[in-house]
Amino acid sequence: MHWSRWGDPDHTTTLPAGATDLMALAFGEITPRPAVPLAAVVARLPTLAPDVADRLAAVVGADHLTTDLSDRVHHTRGKSTPDLLAARSGDFSDAPDAVVRPGNDEEVVAVLQVCAAHGVAVVPYGGGTSVVGGLVADRAELHGLVSLDLCRLDALVDLDEVSRTATLQAGMLGPQAETLLGERGYTLGHFPQSFEFASIGGFAATRSSGQSSSGYGRFDSMVVSVTVATARGLWSVGAAPASAAGPDLRQLVLGSEGALGVITDVTVMVRPVPAEKVYETWRWESFEAGAQAMRTLVQDDLNPTVLRLSDETETSINLSDPSAIGLSDAGGAQMVCGYEGSADRVARMRAEVAATLRAAGGQLAGEDGGAAWSDGRFAAPYLRDALLDEGVLVETLETATVWSNLRHLYDEVLAAVTSAATRQGTDPLILCHISHVYRAGASLYFTVAMRESDDGIRQWAPVKRAAGDAIRAAGGTITHHHAVGRDHKPWLADEIGVPGVAVLRAAKQALDPEGVLNPGVLVP
Amino acid sequence: MHWSRWGDPDHTTTLPAGATDLMALAFGEITPRPAVPLAAVVARLPTLAPDVADRLAAVVGADHLTTDLSDRVHHTRGKSTPDLLAARSGDFSDAPDAVVRPGNDEEVVAVLQVCAAHGVAVVPYGGGTSVVGGLVADRAELHGLVSLDLCRLDALVDLDEVSRTATLQAGMLGPQAETLLGERGYTLGHFPQSFEFASIGGFAATRSSGQSSSGYGRFDSMVVSVTVATARGLWSVGAAPASAAGPDLRQLVLGSEGALGVITDVTVMVRPVPAEKVYETWRWESFEAGAQAMRTLVQDDLNPTVLRLSDETETSINLSDPSAIGLSDAGGAQMVCGYEGSADRVARMRAEVAATLRAAGGQLAGEDGGAAWSDGRFAAPYLRDALLDEGVLVETLETATVWSNLRHLYDEVLAAVTSAATRQGTDPLILCHISHVYRAGASLYFTVAMRESDDGIRQWAPVKRAAGDAIRAAGGTITHHHAVGRDHKPWLADEIGVPGVAVLRAAKQALDPEGVLNPGVLVP
């Protein structure tokens, strides 16, 4: 992972000509804002006591504890736009004091025990892809901060082909999981936009949802059991696919963002690698019409593997095909429908879905748009870096609600973001899509672009605040799949209520009485 | 509900001749054991202080607080076989001191506040159908025990036809929910064996699973949001169909069995009333062969609405048709497949399922067996009373595990129950079926019958203990859909681990610091 950009350091993105034209049209003159070089960054001085470092090194082996500046810089913050802006400015004041890389579950427990005993904060680090400040712990009165990198926990521990479950260690990244499972004929089917760099433990800790969630489900719905390391030992959560043995504590661990324990492995449901994959696009007169058709599909138990609908603005600038981005005049709203499975199943599902969509007024636009979406599905974060280089601030935010409230929520967020951004002196470009549907409701995913001012972090803050306020006021959840981290904490208490906060705090106190686990993240 | 039997007091069950023959064959001479008359019961003396009773009456109105013996008797314990045996012997030492019937959410909160302030235990009462001791709170040092009957909270609060969700108050019983939703064209699709007398709040509080769970899902998977009353006010849990805003606290409330708060309403997903319902039976050479076919169905996303497979013993005595119970020599294992939906959908699902089952070696046996199952689906608890009258002790227990462990778990429970029952001097009859399937695993539901000794409660205890020990040793969950109550508490700590117990206790302490909510239930 690049220290100040998304993804592969060797990957370079050139803005398509259409994007450059579009930016000029939308924002007028923009000022390129290159990142400082790595040599110019300023990191905080490490404060970890030498005897604590020695103890940690004794647990993991001297080779697996580093205090190198480069390693510390690479483990600073995640990949939200404010995180990137801070990195690009050379600000590494949030750098951890050291990076430790335990090699097994017992070493994770031992690391936590050393940190608990010495009051040192621990930030679990999987792929480093958080976009909500999930990797920015609050040191407060603690004596240092350690990044606990799970990269050595990357094994396929078990594949149960009868039960169709796989036990994957938490530090395994998405592509590695697909490769190892794929060799045995299986797939996890979990492809969030962060897929190429995100980890299994991160999927679980943040309640991730992938682009194929219509067919494969959210990550939390795939989990059979989880192992969690705490300073008091390992905790195995989940005794059966389903149970009535009290509250489902798996669902307390899923979404716990490292604040209650460190997830070391996850047993998840897997599926056979699909023999066939088809992605096609449909065109709708309006976002509203497409959304209604999506609702009909899911409420009639017709779930394509991928189901995604861009609003009129997102359709008009072709965001679902990052290589061809730019103004298009096709009009209406574009939907991507993907089908994965056996040839028979794909054919049947496709015919059933097509009949419903046609009856609802959709027009099949063929497979070219679907292929473009599939080719570019992990490209958007690279595009963001290219835009930041040019002086365009781009950030995303997301929510979910019931179907009857979806349009209201959409309108309110749009209005709030427009008004807040305009108050910052720049008209924003706001795109939206629906990409996760449920019988009772759906998600909304917004992309906001603005001409970047001299201080992008300060420029974005009031927009984010307005969006979060509008989401909660309009009855949406503050986050559908990005998690809470530090960035969504201002709204969490409102969403879960006083008793919910009391329960979270009580669970934190029970599992982490020393308060060293990702302090300041999640728990209000 | 009858005070010492299941269900409608006017309902009488005559044992079919085949059942009588079977009992004679299995158990030799049995001694009828009639229940004592209501006039002969002995209840504990109420200990509720008059000023507390006055305060409660002031909250709910004098008409809605009773200390009548009959009312107290009717609110004593649930409907497990040990509960029935105690009631039949006239033992009402567990009777509550009073029954209060609040009329709205605010009154529930106020009742809890009075009880918290005066250290009085509160047992939430929906349908009174618990089979795990969920209604037998531990008074310990508390100053009395109140049964909080939710029967006046029985409204359909809201039906959102766009989102296909309904908000139902907790005291509404299953049939009433189906009637009210049915008038609007919808169904909940939740039909556990207790359906006729169980409540919406109870479904949620115990993580209930119905006989149509293959098609409609477990109750916990249908819940969008829940309102919970605590002594500190109302708590609204669940802001969207799906969310990444931290742990899913709905799943902490679901299964909380009245120990963390009192559920006052539940917003659940509903479906259109199916135009067509077809139930048919298939015959398999063995339980094993049928189970494998079930696994194939669910892992290939072919989910009939009802899917149920009896083992060879259950098949041989025809337990899926209570009116025709008795030895049959058809052999093999019977499966019930039910299809509900539009005519099109039923036809398509049926054809697809049939092709898979035929390929797996199943033989279609037509619709007669399916109709018999459907007609008798809520009859088993009445049958149990008739058998208890005759001196045959019948009880059920259930578990779940992953597919690869299912046969092992089955064998171990069978062996443990057989051995423990035989040590009590009576060979048991043990029947089993699979009735809830998941991609990763399935449930096992056992029915155990024995010649009743002079003290059935004492006779059953070591059998239950052996079964629970075997379930946990063989890797099953201690309960798939009956909940924990007091009866499964001995195994809960083993299942959820030391950190799980710590979290449950912490949540209890946060929401019920006075410890008055269903004390002794659930939390180890």
Side-chain angles (χ1 to χ4, degrees):
Chain A
M1 181 76 95
H2 193 285
W3 63 277
S4 69
R5 303 171 81 85
W6 174 259
D8 181 354
D10 294 332
H11 187 292
T12 53
T13 299
T14 318
L15 280 184
T20 311
D21 295 348
L22 177 67
M23 295 307 136
L25 194 67
F27 306 127
E29 197 176 335
I30 48 179
T31 315
R33 298 185 184 272
V36 303
L38 183 54
V41 307
V42 179
R44 68 178 292 141
L45 292 175
T47 60
L48 195 64
D51 64 317
V52 177
D54 289 348
R55 268 163 228 235
L56 291 173
V59 169
V60 296
D63 291 352
H64 301 300
L65 180 144
T66 67
T67 53
D68 293 351
L69 178 64
S70 166
D71 225 2
R72 292 172 54 225
V73 161
H74 275 88
H75 286 78
T76 302
R77 310 190 192 98
K79 297 293 175 183
S80 69
T81 297
D83 287 349
L84 292 180
L85 291 171
R88 295 167 68 92
S89 77
D91 168 11
F92 283 84
S93 55
D94 288 327
D97 297 331
V99 179
V100 286
R101 297 182 171 87
N104 57 46
D105 288 12
E106 290 67 32
E107 288 185 12
V108 177
V109 169
V111 165
L112 297 183
Q113 286 169 337
V114 171
C115 290
H118 294 86
V120 171
V122 184
V123 180
Y125 186 98
T129 64
S130 171
V131 291
V132 292
L135 300 170
V136 190
D138 181 0
R139 291 166 180 252
E141 310 294 299
L142 294 166
H143 311 301
L145 189 152
V146 161
S147 176
L148 193 161
D149 189 326
L150 294 154
C151 60
R152 292 173 65 208
L153 273 66
D154 65 349
L156 167 58
V157 179
D158 183 50
L159 177 67
D160 176 347
E161 298 195 67
V162 174
S163 311
R164 295 232 179 124
T165 61
T167 302
L168 306 169
Q169 282 191 301
M172 183 183 287
L173 301 191
Q176 192 188 354
E178 286 302 319
T179 301
L180 290 174
L181 291 172
E183 285 166 4
R184 306 281 296 271
Y186 294 92
T187 178
L188 196 51
H190 187 68
F191 302 104
Q193 198 170 63
S194 60
F195 166 75
E196 295 178 310
F197 294 90
S199 68
I200 297 296
F203 293 153
T206 62
R207 309 186 80 84
S208 172
S209 192
Q211 294 168 352
S212 309
S213 69
S214 298
Y216 298 119
R218 295 167 65 81
F219 196 80
D220 52 42
S221 73
M222 301 178 186
V223 173
V224 177
S225 60
V226 191
T227 305
V228 184
T230 74
R232 274 134 210 96
L234 289 171
W235 180 23
S236 174
V237 191
S243 169
D248 187 349
L249 298 176
R250 291 179 299 197
Q251 300 293 336
L252 189 77
V253 167
L254 298 169
S256 61
E257 303 185 22
L260 302 181
V262 177
I263 293 170
T264 59
D265 67 48
V266 188
T267 299
V268 281
M269 292 185 253
V270 295
R271 293 177 182 248
V273 171
E276 204 164 306
K277 299 184 183 188
V278 180
Y279 308 108
E280 60 192 18
T281 51
W282 289 75
R283 185 67 70 154
W284 298 87
E285 196 175 290
S286 65
F287 186 46
E288 189 96 26
Q292 276 193 30
M294 279 176 133
R295 175 166 74 82
T296 303
L297 285 181
V298 65
Q299 291 183 344
D300 284 357
D301 293 306
L302 292 172
N303 294 328
T305 313
V306 173
L307 193 55
R308 178 191 178 95
L309 175 73
S310 295
D311 72 353
E312 291 85 351
T313 312
E314 188 169 296
T315 299
S316 77
I317 70 158
N318 216 351
L319 197 71
S320 72
D321 179 6
S323 67
I325 206 163
L327 269 183
S328 124
D329 55 3
Q334 179 180 275
M335 176 187 281
V336 177
C337 276
Y339 309 91
E340 300 183 6
S342 65
D344 267 11
R345 188 171 168 73
V346 165
R348 198 176 58 229
M349 192 166 33
R350 207 175 167 188
E352 286 173 21
V353 169
T356 299
L357 296 186
R358 214 166 270 126
Q363 285 196 301
L364 183 59
E367 293 181 35
D368 290 353
W373 168 80
S374 176
D375 290 347
R377 66 196 290 192
F378 305 124
Y382 288 110
L383 190 64
R384 176 177 55 164
D385 289 319
L387 289 165
L388 289 174
D389 288 341
E390 297 300 319
V392 176
L393 190 159
V394 187
E395 182 56 306
T396 63
L397 51 94
E398 33 82 67
T399 177
T401 189
V402 291
W403 287 110
S404 60
N405 190 46
L406 199 67
R407 181 74 208 195
H408 173 65
L409 178 60
Y410 172 81
D411 289 341
E412 293 295 305
V413 174
L414 225 54
V417 170
T418 302
S419 148
T422 307
R423 254 179 277 134
Q424 298 298 306
T426 164
D427 287 341
L429 200 58
I430 311 174
L431 328 173
C432 182
H433 62 254
I434 299 173
S435 47
H436 306 270
V437 293
Y438 307 91
R439 299 183 68 79
S443 68
L444 290 173
Y445 187 97
F446 297 90
T447 303
V448 183
M450 305 159 61
R451 182 179 59 237
E452 192 184 337
S453 71
D454 286 342
D455 185 345
I457 294 178
R458 184 174 263 178
Q459 183 187 12
W460 177 249
V463 181
K464 175 71 178 173
R465 208 176 308 123
D469 290 348
I471 284 172
R472 286 302 301 146
T477 175
I478 192 60
T479 172
H480 167 266
H481 61 271
H482 280 172
V484 178
R486 289 172 69 102
D487 297 357
H488 288 141
K489 249 176 45 167
W491 298 277
L492 187 65
D494 178 58
E495 178 159 337
I496 67 174
V498 172
V501 172
V503 165
L504 272 195
R505 285 189 183 144
K508 170 94 175 163
Q509 177 66 27
L511 297 173
D512 176 32
E514 299 84 4
V516 296
L517 289 170
N518 223 359
V521 165
L522 177 64
V523 186
Chain B
M1 181 78 92
H2 193 286
W3 63 277
S4 69
R5 303 172 80 85
W6 175 259
D8 180 355
D10 295 331
H11 186 293
T12 52
T13 299
T14 319
L15 281 184
T20 311
D21 296 347
L22 177 66
M23 295 308 137
L25 195 67
F27 306 127
E29 198 176 331
I30 48 179
T31 314
R33 298 183 184 274
V36 303
L38 184 53
V41 307
V42 179
R44 67 177 295 139
L45 292 176
T47 60
L48 195 64
D51 65 319
V52 177
D54 289 350
R55 270 163 226 235
L56 291 173
V59 169
V60 296
D63 291 353
H64 301 299
L65 180 142
T66 68
T67 53
D68 293 351
L69 179 63
S70 165
D71 225 1
R72 293 171 53 224
V73 160
H74 276 86
H75 287 78
T76 303
R77 310 190 192 97
K79 296 294 176 185
S80 69
T81 297
D83 286 349
L84 293 179
L85 291 171
R88 295 167 67 93
S89 76
D91 167 12
F92 283 84
S93 54
D94 288 326
D97 297 331
V99 179
V100 287
R101 296 183 172 85
N104 55 45
D105 288 12
E106 290 66 31
E107 287 185 12
V108 177
V109 169
V111 165
L112 297 183
Q113 287 170 337
V114 171
C115 290
H118 294 86
V120 172
V122 184
V123 180
Y125 186 97
T129 64
S130 171
V131 289
V132 293
L135 300 170
V136 190
D138 180 0
R139 292 166 180 253
E141 309 295 301
L142 295 166
H143 311 300
L145 186 152
V146 161
S147 177
L148 191 161
D149 190 327
L150 295 153
C151 61
R152 292 173 64 210
L153 272 66
D154 65 348
L156 168 57
V157 179
D158 183 50
L159 177 66
D160 176 346
E161 299 194 68
V162 174
S163 311
R164 295 233 178 122
T165 62
T167 301
L168 307 168
Q169 282 191 302
M172 183 184 288
L173 302 191
Q176 192 188 354
E178 286 301 320
T179 301
L180 290 174
L181 291 172
E183 285 166 4
R184 307 281 295 273
Y186 295 93
T187 177
L188 196 51
H190 188 68
F191 303 104
Q193 197 169 63
S194 60
F195 166 75
E196 295 178 311
F197 295 90
S199 69
I200 297 296
F203 294 153
T206 62
R207 310 186 79 84
S208 172
S209 189
Q211 294 168 353
S212 308
S213 68
S214 297
Y216 297 120
R218 297 168 63 82
F219 196 80
D220 51 42
S221 72
M222 300 177 187
V223 173
V224 177
S225 61
V226 191
T227 305
V228 183
T230 76
R232 273 136 211 96
L234 290 171
W235 181 23
S236 173
V237 190
S243 170
D248 187 348
L249 298 176
R250 293 178 298 197
Q251 300 295 333
L252 189 78
V253 167
L254 298 169
S256 63
E257 302 183 24
L260 302 182
V262 177
I263 293 169
T264 59
D265 68 46
V266 187
T267 300
V268 281
M269 292 184 254
V270 295
R271 292 177 183 248
V273 171
E276 203 165 307
K277 299 184 183 188
V278 180
Y279 308 108
E280 60 191 17
T281 51
W282 287 74
R283 185 67 71 151
W284 297 87
E285 196 175 290
S286 65
F287 186 47
E288 188 96 26
Q292 277 193 29
M294 281 176 132
R295 176 166 73 83
T296 302
L297 285 181
V298 65
Q299 290 183 343
D300 284 357
D301 293 307
L302 292 172
N303 295 328
T305 313
V306 174
L307 192 55
R308 177 189 177 95
L309 175 73
S310 296
D311 72 352
E312 292 86 351
T313 312
E314 189 170 295
T315 300
S316 78
I317 70 159
N318 216 352
L319 196 71
S320 72
D321 179 6
S323 68
I325 206 163
L327 268 183
S328 123
D329 54 4
Q334 180 179 276
M335 175 187 282
V336 177
C337 276
Y339 309 92
E340 300 182 6
S342 65
D344 267 9
R345 190 173 166 71
V346 165
R348 198 175 59 229
M349 192 166 34
R350 206 174 168 189
E352 285 173 21
V353 169
T356 299
L357 296 184
R358 214 167 270 126
Q363 286 195 301
L364 183 60
E367 294 182 32
D368 290 354
W373 168 80
S374 177
D375 291 347
R377 63 195 293 190
F378 306 124
Y382 288 111
L383 190 63
R384 177 178 54 164
D385 289 319
L387 288 166
L388 289 174
D389 289 341
E390 297 300 319
V392 175
L393 190 160
V394 188
E395 182 56 306
T396 63
L397 51 94
E398 35 82 67
T399 178
T401 190
V402 290
W403 287 110
S404 60
N405 190 46
L406 199 66
R407 181 75 209 197
H408 172 63
L409 178 60
Y410 172 80
D411 288 341
E412 293 294 306
V413 174
L414 225 56
V417 170
T418 302
S419 149
T422 307
R423 255 179 277 132
Q424 298 297 307
T426 164
D427 287 341
L429 201 58
I430 311 174
L431 327 173
C432 183
H433 62 254
I434 299 172
S435 46
H436 307 269
V437 294
Y438 307 91
R439 299 183 67 79
S443 69
L444 291 172
Y445 188 96
F446 296 90
T447 303
V448 183
M450 304 158 61
R451 182 179 58 237
E452 192 185 335
S453 71
D454 286 342
D455 185 345
I457 294 178
R458 184 175 262 181
Q459 183 189 14
W460 177 248
V463 180
K464 176 71 179 173
R465 209 176 309 124
D469 289 349
I471 284 171
R472 285 303 300 148
T477 174
I478 193 62
T479 172
H480 168 266
H481 60 270
H482 280 174
V484 177
R486 289 172 68 104
D487 298 356
H488 288 141
K489 249 179 40 169
W491 297 278
L492 187 65
D494 178 57
E495 179 160 335
I496 65 175
V498 172
V501 172
V503 165
L504 271 195
R505 285 189 184 145
K508 170 93 174 162
Q509 177 66 26
L511 296 173
D512 176 31
E514 299 84 4
V516 298
L517 288 170
N518 222 358
V521 165
L522 178 64
V523 186

